[in-house]
Amino acid sequence: MQVYADYAATTPVKPEVIDKMTEIYKHHYGNPSSIHSIGRDARKFLDESRRTVAKHLNANPEQVIFTSGATESNNTAIRGMAYKRASEGKHLITTKMEHHAVLHVFEALEKEGFEVTYLDVTKEGIVNLDQLREALREDTTLVSIMLVNNEVGTVQPIFDIEMILQDLNAQLHVDAVQAVGHMPVEFNELAIDALSITAHKFGGPKGVGVLLVKKDTDLTFSQLGGEQETKRRAGTENLAQIVGMAEALKLADDNRDQHNIHLMSLKETFLVQLQERAVPFEVNGSMVDTTGHIVNLYLPFIDVETLLTLLDMANIYVSSGSACTAGSTKPSHVLNAMYGEDDRVYRSVRFSFGSETTEVEVKTIAAELQKIYHRFKED
């Protein structure tokens, strides 16, 4: 039996999404920028997808920029806002537990003369709001904080962050990649200037995403070429994947409540199973301010590399953190930010579930962890 429990890394593409994409590949292959009838046919699907994405993120269609994924969206937003307002100030703020698609951008900006403050987080993975207040300056032009952490599932207090930033000069960018399908993402209800998502985290294809940008938020757009996306993102739109993403987003939003009930039930079953089997563990992060699809566990009896190898040999597929850092020998920067140089950063693993995950599968994982525990306990 194979058990996939790495949904935070990527999700299987929904059958309905594949059907929509196949239809585009077969019958609607035109370039949306072409003015002939085949191009206009393609444009119709592009515009419809834009309206669908806007509807399910509570945004306006003109706020939607289609991209190649969250990495491009994050890069475009952070660099774009930092460059555009550099004459007003070059102080930027983010947290120590952001995804590397955010952190590496800020590190690069530091080399270009910007000053960056990296906020601490609590042991539950919550940003230090007092430190945010203290860090804000007259020359602070940008704050970037993720909505849901990709390694521990912690939900950040975005409303509190908004309140702190109100009436200040700083703009706010939010990486909402892990939020879609797990909590409402209401762009126009939030005082956010830019927001990033990617399709493959909620049943869509890889290689396509969205950057939402408020009307009065100026960015310097660096990708030059044609006039696609109202001159904001040059390059022929990947129509089939955009249509697939729109369908995946609709399904994720429409089924969110049912999906969350399923995930919370799986998480409870998983933790209870471990307790009943007397497997020692501690949950990394918050048990309250969290989503249902991520469970990050400290397992004190084994190092993470050995555990991942044994689980893989048992056909159970999980990860120690972000798939984007696979192969790295460094401990998780997220856990390091939460716990410092603690032993648990070398003995923690992320389990992440999806709508296709079954109760039998989470019980199978618990049973295998019990076998591994007794093997290493005896050693």
Side-chain angles (χ1 to χ4, degrees):
M1 178 183 186
Q2 291 189 337
V3 179
Y4 181 74
D6 201 17
Y7 282 80
T10 197
T11 59
V13 181
K14 297 285 187 182
E16 301 94 325
V17 172
I18 294 174
D19 290 343
K20 290 279 187 179
M21 293 173 63
T22 302
E23 176 72 12
I24 297 298
Y25 282 126
K26 285 183 176 180
H27 304 296
H28 307 284
Y29 50 82
N31 188 321
S33 296
S34 297
I35 61 174
H36 49 62
S37 60
I38 293 178
R40 293 197 303 273
D41 172 67
R43 168 65 64 173
K44 177 183 68 175
F45 285 93
L46 181 66
D47 292 343
E48 182 182 338
S49 296
R50 196 183 307 278
R51 288 191 294 270
T52 298
V53 168
K55 174 185 175 183
H56 289 281
L57 297 177
N58 191 7
N60 302 328
E62 61 270 19
Q63 295 170 331
V64 176
I65 303 173
F66 292 120
T67 69
S68 63
T71 295
E72 182 188 336
S73 295
N74 288 335
N75 273 258
T76 300
I78 296 166
R79 285 183 179 275
M81 287 193 278
Y83 290 156
K84 192 70 175 183
R85 302 187 62 201
S87 61
E88 301 174 48
K90 303 185 78 172
H91 178 239
L92 316 172
I93 298 175
T94 189
T95 80
K96 294 179 179 179
M97 65 185 299
E98 300 298 306
H99 191 279
H100 282 113
V102 168
L103 286 177
H104 288 338
V105 183
F106 279 103
E107 290 166 2
L109 287 170
E110 283 185 287
K111 296 177 182 178
E112 298 175 25
F114 288 84
E115 182 183 352
V116 181
T117 297
Y118 297 92
L119 301 176
D120 294 323
V121 295
T122 67
K123 291 186 176 181
E124 287 72 40
I126 304 293
V127 64
N128 187 323
L129 296 179
D130 289 334
Q131 193 176 40
L132 172 60
R133 292 186 186 93
E134 295 170 0
L136 287 163
R137 308 183 329 207
E138 288 187 3
D139 63 338
T140 304
T141 57
L142 174 64
V143 176
S144 180
I145 296 176
M146 68 194 337
L147 184 52
V148 176
N149 184 264
N150 56 297
E151 292 194 24
V152 296
T154 301
V155 179
Q156 297 298 338
I158 291 298
F159 290 109
D160 293 335
I161 294 167
E162 289 178 351
M163 292 296 293
I164 294 171
L165 296 181
Q166 69 177 350
D167 302 325
L168 297 179
N169 188 43
Q171 294 177 313
L172 177 61
H173 164 255
V174 171
D175 176 340
V177 165
Q178 294 289 344
V180 175
H182 305 288
M183 60 184 294
V185 179
E186 304 278 353
F187 188 59
N188 281 334
E189 294 298 316
L190 300 168
I192 292 173
D193 295 281
L195 182 142
S196 307
I197 69 166
T198 191
H200 73 101
K201 303 296 187 180
F202 50 87
K206 299 173 184 66
V208 63
V210 166
L211 174 63
L212 296 179
V213 180
K214 289 281 173 67
K215 180 180 179 181
D216 296 328
T217 301
D218 288 332
L219 281 80
T220 297
F221 294 98
S222 59
Q223 187 158 310
L224 306 177
E227 298 187 356
Q228 294 87 357
E229 299 301 292
T230 58
K231 302 181 181 180
R232 297 174 298 180
R233 196 267 188 184
T236 302
E237 294 92 348
N238 191 336
L239 183 61
Q241 289 189 318
I242 288 170
V243 169
M245 174 174 60
E247 178 67 14
L249 180 57
K250 177 183 181 299
L251 292 170
D253 195 35
D254 289 347
N255 299 312
R256 186 178 65 243
D257 291 343
Q258 180 181 352
H259 182 54
N260 281 335
I261 291 170
H262 174 66
L263 291 174
M264 292 306 294
S265 176
L266 290 177
K267 179 184 279 192
E268 182 180 4
T269 297
F270 183 44
L271 297 179
V272 168
Q273 281 284 308
L274 291 176
Q275 291 171 338
E276 291 179 349
R277 294 173 182 275
V279 178
F281 73 90
E282 292 180 23
V283 175
N284 293 320
S286 173
M287 285 293 290
V288 178
D289 299 310
T290 184
T291 58
H293 70 302
I294 296 176
V295 187
N296 195 304
L297 297 182
Y298 166 46
L299 301 166
F301 54 90
I302 189 171
D303 66 87
V304 65
E305 289 84 2
T306 303
L307 177 60
L308 292 178
T309 300
L310 292 174
L311 289 175
D312 187 62
M313 291 172 63
N315 296 319
I316 297 173
Y317 310 120
V318 300
S319 66
S320 58
S322 172
C324 299
T325 57
S328 173
T329 58
K330 296 181 180 179
S332 161
H333 73 284
V334 172
L335 297 180
N336 213 316
M338 293 165 61
Y339 302 109
E341 286 295 334
D342 190 277
D343 184 60
R344 70 195 298 146
V345 305
Y346 300 97
R347 297 176 179 271
S348 294
V349 65
R350 180 187 70 184
F351 302 89
S352 52
F353 308 131
S355 57
E356 294 89 350
T357 309
T358 67
E359 186 175 301
V360 171
E361 288 178 328
V362 299
K363 289 181 177 179
T364 298
I365 299 171
E368 190 62 33
L369 288 175
Q370 182 185 30
K371 292 179 186 177
I372 293 171
Y373 168 57
H374 283 289
R375 171 180 168 182
F376 280 79
K377 179 183 177 183
E378 291 167 2
D379 291 346

PDB file of all heavy atoms in Angstrom, residues 242-263:
ATOM      1  N   ILE A 242      -3.977  27.932 -16.943  1.00  0.00           N
ATOM      2  CA  ILE A 242      -4.780  28.970 -16.299  1.00  0.00           C
ATOM      3  C   ILE A 242      -6.223  28.508 -16.143  1.00  0.00           C
ATOM      4  O   ILE A 242      -6.837  28.671 -15.076  1.00  0.00           O
ATOM      5  CB  ILE A 242      -4.704  30.277 -17.107  1.00  0.00           C
ATOM      6  CG1 ILE A 242      -3.318  30.910 -16.943  1.00  0.00           C
ATOM      7  CG2 ILE A 242      -5.797  31.259 -16.675  1.00  0.00           C
ATOM      8  CD1 ILE A 242      -3.055  32.069 -17.880  1.00  0.00           C
ATOM      9  N   VAL A 243      -6.768  27.901 -17.183  1.00  0.00           N
ATOM     10  CA  VAL A 243      -8.132  27.360 -17.101  1.00  0.00           C
ATOM     11  C   VAL A 243      -8.199  26.265 -16.035  1.00  0.00           C
ATOM     12  O   VAL A 243      -9.151  26.189 -15.251  1.00  0.00           O
ATOM     13  CB  VAL A 243      -8.568  26.815 -18.477  1.00  0.00           C
ATOM     14  CG1 VAL A 243      -9.863  26.012 -18.354  1.00  0.00           C
ATOM     15  CG2 VAL A 243      -8.754  27.961 -19.466  1.00  0.00           C
ATOM     16  N   GLY A 244      -7.169  25.407 -15.993  1.00  0.00           N
ATOM     17  CA  GLY A 244      -7.128  24.364 -14.973  1.00  0.00           C
ATOM     18  C   GLY A 244      -7.054  24.923 -13.569  1.00  0.00           C
ATOM     19  O   GLY A 244      -7.723  24.446 -12.649  1.00  0.00           O
ATOM     20  N   MET A 245      -6.254  25.974 -13.391  1.00  0.00           N
ATOM     21  CA  MET A 245      -6.149  26.611 -12.076  1.00  0.00           C
ATOM     22  C   MET A 245      -7.482  27.204 -11.641  1.00  0.00           C
ATOM     23  O   MET A 245      -7.877  27.080 -10.474  1.00  0.00           O
ATOM     24  CB  MET A 245      -5.074  27.700 -12.098  1.00  0.00           C
ATOM     25  CG  MET A 245      -4.994  28.523 -10.814  1.00  0.00           C
ATOM     26  SD  MET A 245      -3.611  29.685 -10.768  1.00  0.00           S
ATOM     27  CE  MET A 245      -3.994  30.707 -12.189  1.00  0.00           C
ATOM     28  N   ALA A 246      -8.175  27.858 -12.568  1.00  0.00           N
ATOM     29  CA  ALA A 246      -9.469  28.452 -12.231  1.00  0.00           C
ATOM     30  C   ALA A 246     -10.459  27.392 -11.780  1.00  0.00           C
ATOM     31  O   ALA A 246     -11.199  27.581 -10.807  1.00  0.00           O
ATOM     32  CB  ALA A 246     -10.020  29.220 -13.427  1.00  0.00           C
ATOM     33  N   GLU A 247     -10.463  26.263 -12.467  1.00  0.00           N
ATOM     34  CA  GLU A 247     -11.356  25.172 -12.078  1.00  0.00           C
ATOM     35  C   GLU A 247     -10.960  24.598 -10.713  1.00  0.00           C
ATOM     36  O   GLU A 247     -11.825  24.320  -9.867  1.00  0.00           O
ATOM     37  CB  GLU A 247     -11.317  24.070 -13.136  1.00  0.00           C
ATOM     38  CG  GLU A 247     -12.178  22.852 -12.826  1.00  0.00           C
ATOM     39  CD  GLU A 247     -13.671  23.130 -12.838  1.00  0.00           C
ATOM     40  OE1 GLU A 247     -14.079  24.202 -13.341  1.00  0.00           O
ATOM     41  OE2 GLU A 247     -14.440  22.282 -12.327  1.00  0.00           O
ATOM     42  N   ALA A 248      -9.665  24.424 -10.483  1.00  0.00           N
ATOM     43  CA  ALA A 248      -9.189  23.905  -9.196  1.00  0.00           C
ATOM     44  C   ALA A 248      -9.547  24.847  -8.058  1.00  0.00           C
ATOM     45  O   ALA A 248      -9.940  24.415  -6.964  1.00  0.00           O
ATOM     46  CB  ALA A 248      -7.677  23.687  -9.249  1.00  0.00           C
ATOM     47  N   LEU A 249      -9.412  26.149  -8.299  1.00  0.00           N
ATOM     48  CA  LEU A 249      -9.746  27.137  -7.273  1.00  0.00           C
ATOM     49  C   LEU A 249     -11.232  27.108  -6.952  1.00  0.00           C
ATOM     50  O   LEU A 249     -11.627  27.179  -5.781  1.00  0.00           O
ATOM     51  CB  LEU A 249      -9.324  28.528  -7.745  1.00  0.00           C
ATOM     52  CG  LEU A 249      -9.593  29.692  -6.786  1.00  0.00           C
ATOM     53  CD1 LEU A 249      -8.914  29.461  -5.439  1.00  0.00           C
ATOM     54  CD2 LEU A 249      -9.126  31.003  -7.411  1.00  0.00           C
ATOM     55  N   LYS A 250     -12.059  26.993  -7.979  1.00  0.00           N
ATOM     56  CA  LYS A 250     -13.506  26.900  -7.772  1.00  0.00           C
ATOM     57  C   LYS A 250     -13.842  25.682  -6.924  1.00  0.00           C
ATOM     58  O   LYS A 250     -14.610  25.772  -5.957  1.00  0.00           O
ATOM     59  CB  LYS A 250     -14.219  26.825  -9.120  1.00  0.00           C
ATOM     60  CG  LYS A 250     -15.736  26.655  -9.020  1.00  0.00           C
ATOM     61  CD  LYS A 250     -16.366  26.520 -10.398  1.00  0.00           C
ATOM     62  CE  LYS A 250     -17.887  26.380 -10.290  1.00  0.00           C
ATOM     63  NZ  LYS A 250     -18.300  25.173  -9.526  1.00  0.00           N
ATOM     64  N   LEU A 251     -13.266  24.533  -7.260  1.00  0.00           N
ATOM     65  CA  LEU A 251     -13.533  23.302  -6.507  1.00  0.00           C
ATOM     66  C   LEU A 251     -13.048  23.439  -5.057  1.00  0.00           C
ATOM     67  O   LEU A 251     -13.741  23.024  -4.120  1.00  0.00           O
ATOM     68  CB  LEU A 251     -12.847  22.116  -7.180  1.00  0.00           C
ATOM     69  CG  LEU A 251     -13.390  21.693  -8.545  1.00  0.00           C
ATOM     70  CD1 LEU A 251     -12.454  20.664  -9.189  1.00  0.00           C
ATOM     71  CD2 LEU A 251     -14.796  21.118  -8.406  1.00  0.00           C
ATOM     72  N   ALA A 252     -11.863  24.005  -4.882  1.00  0.00           N
ATOM     73  CA  ALA A 252     -11.306  24.150  -3.538  1.00  0.00           C
ATOM     74  C   ALA A 252     -12.154  25.074  -2.678  1.00  0.00           C
ATOM     75  O   ALA A 252     -12.394  24.797  -1.489  1.00  0.00           O
ATOM     76  CB  ALA A 252      -9.870  24.682  -3.632  1.00  0.00           C
ATOM     77  N   ASP A 253     -12.616  26.161  -3.267  1.00  0.00           N
ATOM     78  CA  ASP A 253     -13.417  27.122  -2.517  1.00  0.00           C
ATOM     79  C   ASP A 253     -14.810  26.577  -2.217  1.00  0.00           C
ATOM     80  O   ASP A 253     -15.311  26.693  -1.091  1.00  0.00           O
ATOM     81  CB  ASP A 253     -13.509  28.431  -3.299  1.00  0.00           C
ATOM     82  CG  ASP A 253     -14.009  29.589  -2.448  1.00  0.00           C
ATOM     83  OD1 ASP A 253     -13.683  29.628  -1.244  1.00  0.00           O
ATOM     84  OD2 ASP A 253     -14.722  30.453  -2.980  1.00  0.00           O
ATOM     85  N   ASP A 254     -15.427  25.953  -3.209  1.00  0.00           N
ATOM     86  CA  ASP A 254     -16.781  25.420  -3.026  1.00  0.00           C
ATOM     87  C   ASP A 254     -16.829  24.295  -1.996  1.00  0.00           C
ATOM     88  O   ASP A 254     -17.831  24.121  -1.304  1.00  0.00           O
ATOM     89  CB  ASP A 254     -17.339  24.912  -4.360  1.00  0.00           C
ATOM     90  CG  ASP A 254     -17.671  26.031  -5.329  1.00  0.00           C
ATOM     91  OD1 ASP A 254     -17.698  27.207  -4.896  1.00  0.00           O
ATOM     92  OD2 ASP A 254     -17.898  25.741  -6.521  1.00  0.00           O
ATOM     93  N   ASN A 255     -15.754  23.521  -1.900  1.00  0.00           N
ATOM     94  CA  ASN A 255     -15.734  22.341  -1.023  1.00  0.00           C
ATOM     95  C   ASN A 255     -14.915  22.559   0.250  1.00  0.00           C
ATOM     96  O   ASN A 255     -14.594  21.597   0.950  1.00  0.00           O
ATOM     97  CB  ASN A 255     -15.179  21.130  -1.782  1.00  0.00           C
ATOM     98  CG  ASN A 255     -16.026  20.758  -2.981  1.00  0.00           C
ATOM     99  OD1 ASN A 255     -17.242  20.650  -2.878  1.00  0.00           O
ATOM    100  ND2 ASN A 255     -15.390  20.567  -4.126  1.00  0.00           N
ATOM    101  N   ARG A 256     -14.583  23.822   0.552  1.00  0.00           N
ATOM    102  CA  ARG A 256     -13.659  24.096   1.641  1.00  0.00           C
ATOM    103  C   ARG A 256     -14.147  23.589   2.993  1.00  0.00           C
ATOM    104  O   ARG A 256     -13.389  22.947   3.741  1.00  0.00           O
ATOM    105  CB  ARG A 256     -13.368  25.598   1.726  1.00  0.00           C
ATOM    106  CG  ARG A 256     -12.292  25.945   2.756  1.00  0.00           C
ATOM    107  CD  ARG A 256     -11.988  27.430   2.778  1.00  0.00           C
ATOM    108  NE  ARG A 256     -13.135  28.210   3.219  1.00  0.00           N
ATOM    109  CZ  ARG A 256     -13.758  29.106   2.459  1.00  0.00           C
ATOM    110  NH1 ARG A 256     -13.359  29.329   1.224  1.00  0.00           N
ATOM    111  NH2 ARG A 256     -14.786  29.777   2.938  1.00  0.00           N
ATOM    112  N   ASP A 257     -15.378  23.841   3.346  1.00  0.00           N
ATOM    113  CA  ASP A 257     -15.876  23.431   4.661  1.00  0.00           C
ATOM    114  C   ASP A 257     -15.846  21.917   4.822  1.00  0.00           C
ATOM    115  O   ASP A 257     -15.376  21.394   5.847  1.00  0.00           O
ATOM    116  CB  ASP A 257     -17.298  23.959   4.880  1.00  0.00           C
ATOM    117  CG  ASP A 257     -17.334  25.472   5.027  1.00  0.00           C
ATOM    118  OD1 ASP A 257     -16.272  26.070   5.288  1.00  0.00           O
ATOM    119  OD2 ASP A 257     -18.426  26.062   4.879  1.00  0.00           O
ATOM    120  N   GLN A 258     -16.343  21.213   3.835  1.00  0.00           N
ATOM    121  CA  GLN A 258     -16.332  19.749   3.874  1.00  0.00           C
ATOM    122  C   GLN A 258     -14.898  19.224   3.924  1.00  0.00           C
ATOM    123  O   GLN A 258     -14.590  18.274   4.665  1.00  0.00           O
ATOM    124  CB  GLN A 258     -17.051  19.201   2.640  1.00  0.00           C
ATOM    125  CG  GLN A 258     -17.094  17.682   2.565  1.00  0.00           C
ATOM    126  CD  GLN A 258     -17.793  17.204   1.295  1.00  0.00           C
ATOM    127  OE1 GLN A 258     -18.367  17.984   0.541  1.00  0.00           O
ATOM    128  NE2 GLN A 258     -17.724  15.912   1.038  1.00  0.00           N
ATOM    129  N   HIS A 259     -14.031  19.847   3.148  1.00  0.00           N
ATOM    130  CA  HIS A 259     -12.624  19.465   3.103  1.00  0.00           C
ATOM    131  C   HIS A 259     -11.965  19.646   4.469  1.00  0.00           C
ATOM    132  O   HIS A 259     -11.235  18.769   4.953  1.00  0.00           O
ATOM    133  CB  HIS A 259     -11.927  20.342   2.049  1.00  0.00           C
ATOM    134  CG  HIS A 259     -10.480  20.059   1.845  1.00  0.00           C
ATOM    135  ND1 HIS A 259      -9.980  18.807   1.549  1.00  0.00           N
ATOM    136  CD2 HIS A 259      -9.401  20.887   1.873  1.00  0.00           C
ATOM    137  CE1 HIS A 259      -8.673  18.869   1.416  1.00  0.00           C
ATOM    138  NE2 HIS A 259      -8.294  20.120   1.609  1.00  0.00           N
ATOM    139  N   ASN A 260     -12.233  20.770   5.124  1.00  0.00           N
ATOM    140  CA  ASN A 260     -11.626  21.036   6.429  1.00  0.00           C
ATOM    141  C   ASN A 260     -12.109  20.067   7.501  1.00  0.00           C
ATOM    142  O   ASN A 260     -11.327  19.651   8.368  1.00  0.00           O
ATOM    143  CB  ASN A 260     -11.920  22.473   6.848  1.00  0.00           C
ATOM    144  CG  ASN A 260     -11.015  23.471   6.154  1.00  0.00           C
ATOM    145  OD1 ASN A 260      -9.910  23.137   5.737  1.00  0.00           O
ATOM    146  ND2 ASN A 260     -11.471  24.695   6.009  1.00  0.00           N
ATOM    147  N   ILE A 261     -13.381  19.727   7.458  1.00  0.00           N
ATOM    148  CA  ILE A 261     -13.913  18.736   8.416  1.00  0.00           C
ATOM    149  C   ILE A 261     -13.177  17.412   8.251  1.00  0.00           C
ATOM    150  O   ILE A 261     -12.770  16.765   9.226  1.00  0.00           O
ATOM    151  CB  ILE A 261     -15.433  18.549   8.220  1.00  0.00           C
ATOM    152  CG1 ILE A 261     -16.180  19.815   8.651  1.00  0.00           C
ATOM    153  CG2 ILE A 261     -15.937  17.338   9.006  1.00  0.00           C
ATOM    154  CD1 ILE A 261     -17.654  19.812   8.281  1.00  0.00           C
ATOM    155  N   HIS A 262     -12.982  17.023   6.997  1.00  0.00           N
ATOM    156  CA  HIS A 262     -12.262  15.781   6.691  1.00  0.00           C
ATOM    157  C   HIS A 262     -10.833  15.836   7.215  1.00  0.00           C
ATOM    158  O   HIS A 262     -10.347  14.898   7.869  1.00  0.00           O
ATOM    159  CB  HIS A 262     -12.281  15.545   5.180  1.00  0.00           C
ATOM    160  CG  HIS A 262     -11.462  14.388   4.719  1.00  0.00           C
ATOM    161  ND1 HIS A 262     -11.762  13.072   5.046  1.00  0.00           N
ATOM    162  CD2 HIS A 262     -10.348  14.327   3.932  1.00  0.00           C
ATOM    163  CE1 HIS A 262     -10.881  12.266   4.490  1.00  0.00           C
ATOM    164  NE2 HIS A 262     -10.005  13.001   3.815  1.00  0.00           N
ATOM    165  N   LEU A 263     -10.148  16.948   6.975  1.00  0.00           N
ATOM    166  CA  LEU A 263      -8.752  17.080   7.376  1.00  0.00           C
ATOM    167  C   LEU A 263      -8.591  17.111   8.894  1.00  0.00           C
ATOM    168  O   LEU A 263      -7.666  16.490   9.438  1.00  0.00           O
ATOM    169  CB  LEU A 263      -8.150  18.337   6.759  1.00  0.00           C
ATOM    170  CG  LEU A 263      -7.954  18.318   5.242  1.00  0.00           C
ATOM    171  CD1 LEU A 263      -7.499  19.677   4.746  1.00  0.00           C
ATOM    172  CD2 LEU A 263      -6.955  17.240   4.839  1.00  0.00           C
TER     173      LEU A 263
END
